[in-house]
Amino acid sequence: MSFSYELIEKYREFKGYKQDKQVCADMNVSTGNVTDIKKGRRHLTANQCIYLCNQMGIDFKPALIELAKEKSKTKEEKAAWEEVAKKISAACVAGLLLLTASITQVQGPLKRIRNYP
């Protein structure tokens, strides 16, 4: 299953829709367009991807990278997008580690409090 169709399916579940035509109405596209996405003949556009992500309240940036990987025409292009995704993930992990370390230094070590009668 393509990423484009997976995103449409997540949106449909998020909205509680039963039919593709309900999704099509929200996206202002034809049912044939969604059928082509299901069959892998077509992909979401960047704007459609952003719209679906925003409606579900999720970050659209990783979705755009996945969409770019899906649309890649060569192995080199797909590998380049995968490398971008890895670098972004590594940067996020490094940022979280730095944030955690700075919070730990500010709070200091935990101290045991004794209550004396």
Side-chain angles (χ1 to χ4, degrees):
M1 186 181 315
S2 71
F3 172 75
S4 293
Y5 188 63
E6 286 177 19
L7 190 60
I8 289 171
E9 286 295 303
K10 285 179 187 176
Y11 178 77
R12 184 168 52 180
E13 288 175 21
F14 177 80
K15 289 289 196 171
Y17 292 160
K18 301 292 180 200
Q19 298 177 331
D20 286 340
K21 67 181 179 179
Q22 294 168 299
V23 175
C24 294
D26 287 357
M27 293 176 55
N28 199 24
V29 297
S30 69
T31 53
N33 193 335
V34 173
T35 300
D36 285 344
I37 290 171
K38 270 185 185 180
K39 293 183 178 183
R41 294 187 295 232
R42 207 181 158 108
H43 310 283
L44 288 171
T45 65
N47 286 334
Q48 291 168 337
C49 181
I50 291 169
Y51 171 80
L52 293 176
C53 290
N54 285 339
Q55 291 297 308
M56 292 186 285
I58 60 176
D59 187 12
F60 63 84
K61 293 167 197 86
L64 286 177
I65 291 173
E66 287 298 317
L67 185 63
K69 285 171 30 180
E70 177 181 274
K71 290 181 173 184
S72 299
K73 298 196 185 322
T74 64
K75 289 180 183 178
E76 293 83 12
E77 186 181 356
K78 186 172 184 175
W81 281 113
E82 287 173 354
E83 187 66 27
V84 168
K86 286 178 189 176
K87 286 183 180 181
I88 291 171
S89 295
C92 289
V93 168
L96 286 173
L97 289 175
L98 287 173
L99 180 65
T100 303
S102 66
I103 289 172
T104 303
Q105 288 176 353
V106 170
Q107 291 179 347
L110 296 175
K111 295 180 181 178
R112 175 183 263 177
I113 299 174
R114 294 184 184 176
N115 292 324
Y116 293 101

